[in-house]
Amino acid sequence: MRSLSANRRPVNPTINQHVSDTIAEIAQRFGDARPFRHVVIDDFFDEQTAQALLREFPAFDPKFARNEAGEIGNKAVVEKIRALGPAYAALDDLIQTPAFLAMISRITGIEELRYDPWYYGGGTHENREGQDLD
């Protein structure tokens, strides 16, 4: 799972230990959240991982901002994250592991989660001001 970032330092995505240490609390917050289930986990990744992903996050590109009607909007989505760089390829390697999927299952209560290699509805998302989320 090792790769090199733009500055040639190894990228091995690391989830901060506090996530594992507080998984029951995180799951409780997820389940109790209203008006829909969700959770924000500060410092989910270590600093090196977060910085590498930030460096490789794609600039807004209108060709990735077409809505269902084919019109250019204020939301750009890149589904082919492995092409963004080594940090995103390493992240993709991480999120398809049984251990990662099990952790997300524990948080959400959704059993037998599976990795989606096509990132249907997933990938990077940039919503600019005024863009709604439906």
Side-chain angles (χ1 to χ4, degrees):
M1 227 189 322
R2 285 204 175 275
S3 57
L4 297 178
S5 67
N7 64 5
R8 308 301 291 170
R9 289 190 354 220
V11 175
N12 188 10
T14 303
I15 298 168
N16 274 322
Q17 185 62 44
H18 79 87
V19 176
S20 296
D21 294 345
T22 60
I23 204 86
E25 176 190 324
I26 293 169
Q28 183 72 45
R29 289 190 348 243
F30 176 84
D32 291 346
R34 300 292 176 257
F36 51 86
R37 296 180 310 158
H38 67 282
V39 68
V40 174
I41 305 171
D42 291 327
D43 300 317
F44 184 82
F45 289 116
D46 70 1
E47 183 70 19
Q48 181 182 353
T49 300
Q51 289 299 321
L53 292 168
L54 183 59
R55 278 191 304 276
E56 292 178 10
F57 193 87
F60 188 89
D61 186 338
K63 74 180 177 188
F64 296 117
R66 294 203 179 271
N67 64 21
E68 292 82 7
E71 303 160 331
I72 294 178
N74 286 321
K75 177 182 178 182
V77 177
V78 177
E79 294 172 337
K80 295 179 179 175
I81 69 166
R82 291 192 77 84
L84 295 175
Y88 279 92
L91 175 64
D92 184 54
D93 289 341
L94 171 69
I95 65 175
Q96 58 186 292
T97 64
F100 184 86
L101 293 169
M103 179 186 69
I104 300 303
S105 286
R106 285 189 60 202
I107 292 170
T108 64
I110 301 169
E111 296 180 14
E112 299 182 33
L113 285 175
R114 295 188 184 123
Y115 167 75
D116 175 11
W118 298 279
Y119 282 89
Y120 183 76
T124 64
H125 289 239
E126 180 180 354
N127 284 23
R128 292 193 156 177
E129 186 174 339
Q131 176 65 40
D132 63 342
L133 180 62
D134 53 352

